[in-house]
Amino acid sequence: CTLDSEVALRVGGDFFFDPQPGDSPVNLVLIAGGVGINPLFSILLHIADLHGYQEGKGKRHKLGTAKLYYSAKNTSELLFKKNILGLMKAFPGKITCCFHVTQQRSQICKELQPHITGK
């Protein structure tokens, strides 16, 4: 998004991401806190599958980027963090994440440090 961009937000309820091959690409911003990551992690896995399919068998889907903002008290409460880092490595620039921790008291591992904000 850029300054003055229009965005749509949805909180709670039933939601999904199911782009069709002819759809225009969209850029997703996913925001999660704590265990609220569960449905959004499923969406990230689906996006990764579509990117993998696109790279392996042609460009049926036009995909934008996916950016996840995920907050928890500390890094030990960030569910799926290793999986998310793996998705970012597998699809650089297409899937990104910024973790935010609010009450971290111990040292943050080097692998997570570039993706962590907050204290």
Side-chain angles (χ1 to χ4, degrees):
C1 297
T2 59
L3 185 61
D4 296 324
S5 292
E6 185 174 320
V7 298
L9 295 177
R10 178 148 187 208
V11 178
D14 297 328
F15 59 95
F16 56 91
F17 179 65
D18 188 23
Q20 299 304 305
D23 291 350
S24 296
V26 296
N27 296 321
L28 295 179
V29 176
L30 305 171
I31 303 169
V35 297
I37 188 66
N38 283 306
L40 300 185
F41 183 63
S42 294
I43 289 173
L44 279 181
L45 291 175
H46 182 56
I47 291 167
D49 285 343
L50 292 174
H51 276 301
Y53 181 80
Q54 179 176 340
E55 289 174 358
K57 299 190 179 187
K59 299 188 182 256
R60 290 185 51 208
H61 287 84
K62 297 173 187 162
L63 298 172
T65 60
K67 174 115 185 176
L68 172 67
Y69 292 92
Y70 180 23
S71 179
K73 283 193 235 177
N74 54 57
T75 56
S76 66
E77 292 189 10
L78 292 168
L79 305 177
F80 311 118
K81 62 185 166 272
K82 290 188 186 232
N83 303 84
I84 294 167
L85 290 173
L87 292 174
M88 292 182 352
K89 286 179 186 175
F91 302 101
K94 297 175 183 176
I95 297 175
T96 58
C97 179
C98 181
F99 298 108
H100 181 78
V101 293
T102 60
Q103 298 176 21
Q104 182 79 20
R105 298 198 193 299
S106 61
Q107 181 81 14
I108 295 172
C109 72
K110 288 183 182 182
E111 186 178 34
L112 283 177
Q113 283 178 3
H115 310 287
I116 295 284
T117 62
K119 294 192 178 198

